[in-house]
Amino acid sequence: MRKLSYAQAINEGLKQMMREDKSVFLIGQGVTSPWYVGTTTVGLLDEFGDERVIDTPVSENGITGAAVGAALAGMRPIVTHPRMDFMYYAMDQIANHAANWYYMFGGKINVPLTIRGIINRGGEQAAQHSQALQAIFTHIPGLKVVMPSTPYDAKGLLISSVQDDNPVLYIDDRWLYELKGDVPEEIYTVPIGRGVVREAGKDVTILATSYMAYEATKAAARLKKEGIDAEVIDIRSLKPLDEALIFESVRKTGKLVIADAAWKTCGMAAEVSALVSENIFECLKAPIKRVCLPDTPAPASSVLEEVYFPKDKDIILAVKSII
Amino acid sequence: MKQCSNPITMELVKGIPTTVLWKIYMTMLKIRMVEEKIADLITRKEIICPCHLYIGQEAVATGVCTALENNDYVFSTHRSHGHYIAKGGSIKLMMAELYGRVTGCSRGRGGSMHITSPLVGLPGSSAIVAGTIPLAVGTALAFSIKKNGGVSVAFFGDGATDEGVFYESLNFAALKKLPIIFICENNLYSTHMHISARQLNGNIYKKAQIFKMPGIQIDGNNVLEVFQAASEAIEDARNGKGPTLLECMTYRWRGHVGPNWDIDKGLRSKEEVEWWVDNCPLKRLEEFLLKENILSESKKKQISKQVNEEIEEAIEFAKESPFPDKSEVLNDVFKS
């Protein structure tokens, strides 16, 4: 099959959705910039014009609110935040407005909105340019949250997000942009709410989100050489969460390591851990282990970044601690 | 940009002692030389953290900070080096921060966008656009409650006036007659976007009127014009007359981030950059001071030598400093 990079897959997904549906438009900071959102929006302005590819002032709250409003009026906006860190400014419009609307008005009017939040860390960018805020958003009812880790899913989940009748937060990761993989040319979807087994195994389950799924696959390959047969689940959707897939795997292996490159306290790893303990406690043969960021802001100095961001070796250590 | 090529005149020098004029010249030169050096160090990959260079805007930070007292506060942005140097921050500690060393002003945790020097009145700099404007309002509020005569300055770019919190901050500061000066450094660009692509009425100083606050647009590349306007605004603020919005027209020579010029990317024209380089704020001051015999060639050489030595010393200090210990990553999340 044809190979595309993760960034190219996003770009193709955006293009195809905009060609397919005139109500889809792109709005947000840097969508016409040569660097701000990587290469993910290259060529869109030329093809669709500035009425549908709208670069904006730095007004995250106002622009996100405008996207919510446009969705209420029947459009399918994709509002882009080049760094998740800047989304705090838009928190009110996302949490109080977009996520509550359908429920709060008795199911009368929905918000078909895609919010694209980009994680862009490393390179000594420090605490305000490095955050992975998936847990904060997953906490909010009424908002779906997806995190693709492969080029195939990057396109398929983007299309699902745009076609969904609800607000969906689509989180992509700059560390994955150069990753290449099979991507069909046609329009296809990856269902929101379904995880995937990346490697089948019987000794331990490694459940990972986003970039950590890539690290988990590397870890599993190294563990295999040492005779440890790890199953890797890329959960892909944080909300809704594919609980059935998680339980099925843990029932088989009895051991669980969760890798999520975000803060540990009250994070996704904590949520998955609680769900497993609550529902299939009797299947566990060892304590659940979490591979996360320490509960500190992101440091600048490369030396500190090196210990701050978890890698495959951290997953391996966690696995070995319960095998 | 007619308003940015006003000649420096003797009229503007009135009341400024020669030693202060030398200090102004030295500060501008220091910012310029530090930034040129950093551009070089980034190119040589010695500095890794993203740096937003202040080259071309030196007159704004220098003019404003020279008019302030040590105890007055300024808040900075992602483009922080100029404000830090002009307010009297140590170049050694800044350079060590840029090198990611534990001796840096933020112990290597902040990098270029998050430098701080509390002792000289710079509580910090934020990379969130407009993020420090309400903080500066808050320090002004504290000064007014304490009645200690302090003045607060918020430095921000034209991009920050796209954010809602800018308007909320102006309203509250005007309402409470707080001792704060809002310094908008209008360098015409918010990352890649020209102001004309962002605001229909790009005259930022006029936005003050709706809050019944004085708003003035000045030549931000004429350091003495900045100094005089800032001095008046600061005096008003100190005397309980409330805030002022100063829109300083200026230009960043380099791109949004890093040492490149952003010409090749089609974001702005070579002619535009060249016009501003020709109207160099440092060159304008230097030529004026030499012409009026306020600065002699030998004094000029002495200042340049002194600044150069300070920078070389700072780089040496940074390079010889240790990196933070790995355990440092967990420290200082809370004050114990």
Side-chain angles (χ1 to χ4, degrees):
Chain A
M1 198 188 286
R2 179 192 59 150
K3 301 228 184 278
L4 286 186
S5 73
Y6 185 95
Q8 286 169 328
I10 293 175
N11 183 262
E12 186 169 274
L14 291 170
K15 265 187 197 154
Q16 289 179 336
M17 282 298 91
M18 291 180 76
R19 283 178 196 150
E20 172 97 349
D21 183 348
K22 292 272 177 290
S23 68
V24 176
F25 72 98
L26 189 61
I27 185 167
Q29 225 173 296
V31 294
T32 66
S33 154
W35 75 79
Y36 220 161
V37 291
T39 53
T40 58
T41 59
V42 164
L44 294 178
L45 180 65
D46 288 344
E47 181 170 348
F48 302 105
D50 59 9
E51 279 189 5
R52 292 180 70 200
V53 181
I54 308 168
D55 208 331
T56 68
V58 271
S59 313
E60 296 84 355
N61 190 15
I63 297 300
T64 304
V68 177
L72 291 173
M75 301 296 282
R76 290 187 177 271
I78 304 168
V79 61
T80 301
H81 295 278
R83 313 261 174 166
M84 287 204 89
D85 313 65
F86 309 161
M87 285 175 72
Y88 286 119
Y89 264 141
M91 210 58 201
D92 172 71
Q93 285 301 327
I94 296 170
N96 270 329
H97 297 86
N100 279 344
W101 212 265
Y102 187 68
Y103 181 88
M104 194 163 71
F105 297 112
K108 295 243 168 77
I109 182 162
N110 62 309
V111 184
L113 171 69
T114 302
I115 306 156
R116 184 173 161 217
I118 303 177
I119 299 172
N120 185 4
R121 60 196 178 286
E124 299 202 345
Q125 296 178 91
Q128 293 175 338
H129 281 68
S130 303
Q131 293 168 80
L133 302 175
Q134 56 265 33
I136 289 178
F137 291 100
T138 305
H139 184 65
I140 299 164
L143 188 64
K144 297 183 181 180
V145 180
V146 300
M147 296 186 91
S149 79
T150 63
Y152 183 92
D153 286 354
K155 180 175 163 183
L157 277 171
L158 179 67
I159 291 169
S160 293
S161 302
V162 173
Q163 291 179 343
D164 202 288
D165 282 334
N166 298 285
V168 180
L169 174 60
Y170 174 98
I171 303 172
D172 54 288
D173 189 320
R174 288 283 287 259
W175 279 2
L176 291 165
Y177 276 19
E178 300 308 315
L179 186 74
K180 290 223 152 108
D182 294 342
V183 179
E185 287 181 38
E186 68 274 13
I187 291 175
Y188 64 91
T189 57
V190 168
I192 296 174
R194 295 286 295 280
V196 64
V197 175
R198 295 276 180 224
E199 296 290 336
K202 58 177 178 20
D203 296 336
V204 58
T205 301
I206 305 171
L207 183 140
T209 62
S210 185
Y211 179 77
M212 290 311 281
Y214 169 73
E215 292 290 330
T217 311
K218 281 198 293 182
R222 284 176 56 186
L223 287 164
K224 188 162 262 169
K225 284 182 191 155
E226 298 180 38
I228 299 169
D229 192 14
E231 177 146 302
V232 176
I233 293 180
D234 176 358
I235 202 62
R236 300 195 292 199
S237 287
L238 305 195
K239 186 180 264 179
L241 188 66
D242 194 345
E243 294 178 18
L245 182 72
I246 300 170
F247 296 163
E248 189 192 336
S249 178
V250 176
R251 277 197 188 99
K252 180 170 67 178
T253 62
K255 289 172 184 170
L256 177 61
V257 170
I258 308 159
D260 179 43
W263 294 306
K264 193 173 198 176
T265 302
C266 294
M268 265 325 283
E271 178 59 26
V272 172
S273 171
L275 281 169
V276 168
S277 306
E278 205 168 48
N279 291 285
I280 53 164
F281 183 73
E282 70 283 357
C283 301
L284 286 172
K285 295 179 202 153
I288 296 168
K289 290 286 167 189
R290 291 180 281 169
V291 178
C292 297
L293 298 180
D295 281 327
T296 78
S301 185
S302 299
V303 179
L304 299 179
E305 280 188 332
E306 186 56 34
V307 285
Y308 186 73
F309 295 113
K311 299 268 163 37
D312 56 350
K313 63 176 169 34
D314 302 293
I315 298 172
I316 291 169
L317 276 176
V319 166
K320 287 185 175 170
S321 75
I322 54 169
I323 283 288
Chain B
M1 273 302 148
K2 212 172 159 193
Q3 69 269 45
C4 292
S5 48
N6 296 344
I8 299 180
T9 59
M10 280 309 282
E11 186 67 22
L12 286 168
V13 177
K14 249 187 204 164
I16 310 177
T18 302
T19 49
V20 173
L21 291 169
W22 287 348
K23 189 186 162 206
I24 287 174
Y25 172 70
M26 185 166 168
T27 304
M28 283 181 73
L29 184 70
K30 196 187 283 188
I31 298 172
R32 173 67 55 89
M33 287 173 70
V34 166
E35 293 293 70
E36 294 284 8
K37 192 75 194 180
I38 291 170
D40 178 42
L41 293 169
I42 298 168
T43 310
R44 284 163 30 200
K45 298 199 184 331
E46 292 221 6
I47 289 175
I48 303 164
C49 68
C51 293
H52 303 74
L53 299 173
Y54 198 65
I55 301 168
Q57 301 184 205
E58 297 89 346
V60 183
T62 305
V64 172
C65 292
T66 309
L68 291 168
E69 303 291 332
N70 185 62
N71 292 336
D72 293 331
Y73 274 6
V74 307
F75 282 90
S76 182
T77 66
H78 54 285
R79 200 172 305 287
S80 59
H81 307 168
H83 310 132
Y84 174 96
I85 294 169
K87 196 67 176 68
S90 149
I91 297 183
K92 262 185 174 177
L93 302 187
M94 182 179 99
M95 215 45 108
E97 187 60 33
L98 267 47
Y99 269 86
R101 308 300 163 119
V102 72
T103 51
C105 57
S106 307
R107 296 186 68 82
R109 296 208 192 100
S112 161
M113 293 188 279
H114 307 295
I115 55 177
T116 181
S117 187
L119 291 178
V120 299
L122 180 76
S125 44
S126 169
I128 301 300
V129 174
T132 48
I133 301 176
L135 303 183
V137 170
T139 53
L141 180 66
F143 294 155
S144 83
I145 293 167
K146 291 183 187 172
K147 295 189 174 56
N148 66 2
V151 167
S152 189
V153 168
F155 283 108
F156 51 91
D158 48 300
T161 69
D162 298 343
E163 295 278 16
V165 74
F166 163 71
Y167 300 89
E168 296 171 26
S169 301
L170 254 63
N171 180 54
F172 186 71
L175 181 72
K176 300 290 178 192
K177 285 201 179 321
L178 297 179
I180 177 168
I181 324 296
F182 297 97
I183 304 286
C184 177
E185 299 187 56
N186 186 348
N187 65 18
L188 308 178
Y189 287 87
S190 171
T191 63
H192 59 293
M193 279 174 98
H194 191 264
I195 187 160
S196 60
R198 298 180 287 115
Q199 295 188 15
L200 204 51
N201 181 354
N203 285 312
I204 290 164
Y205 71 102
K206 287 187 180 165
K207 299 180 198 296
Q209 287 170 4
I210 54 174
F211 303 105
K212 296 193 171 178
M213 182 194 297
I216 309 161
Q217 188 182 52
I218 56 170
D219 178 356
N221 278 7
N222 181 334
V223 69
L224 299 186
E225 196 176 323
V226 176
F227 177 76
Q228 297 288 17
S231 298
E232 279 174 37
I234 290 163
E235 198 185 331
D236 281 353
R238 245 190 256 291
N239 294 329
K241 291 183 185 164
T244 301
L245 170 64
L246 277 186
E247 180 186 11
C248 306
M249 301 308 296
T250 185
Y251 198 76
R252 63 164 155 74
W253 290 10
R254 305 300 179 106
H256 166 65
V257 61
N260 301 324
W261 293 78
D262 274 7
I263 297 171
D264 54 326
K265 296 188 183 101
L267 297 176
R268 53 189 198 177
S269 69
K270 192 162 171 275
E271 292 70 36
E272 180 182 297
V273 175
E274 280 171 357
W275 189 91
W276 286 94
V277 171
D278 279 347
N279 278 280
C280 170
L282 177 61
K283 190 176 80 181
R284 280 164 71 191
L285 177 71
E286 187 179 286
E287 285 174 359
F288 170 79
L289 295 178
L290 289 170
K291 187 175 70 128
E292 299 296 338
N293 290 320
I294 298 168
L295 184 72
S296 64
E297 279 293 343
S298 62
K299 181 75 188 169
K300 185 187 131 185
K301 270 185 198 148
Q302 183 212 321
I303 290 174
S304 167
K305 185 166 174 276
Q306 194 182 327
V307 170
N308 195 45
E309 280 170 7
E310 193 181 344
I311 296 171
E312 290 307 321
E313 219 175 285
I315 292 169
E316 203 172 318
F317 171 77
K319 283 177 154 177
E320 284 173 1
S321 292
F323 284 103
D325 186 84
K326 289 187 173 177
S327 64
E328 277 268 336
V329 79
L330 298 174
N331 294 351
D332 296 336
V333 177
F334 295 106
K335 185 174 178 181
S336 50

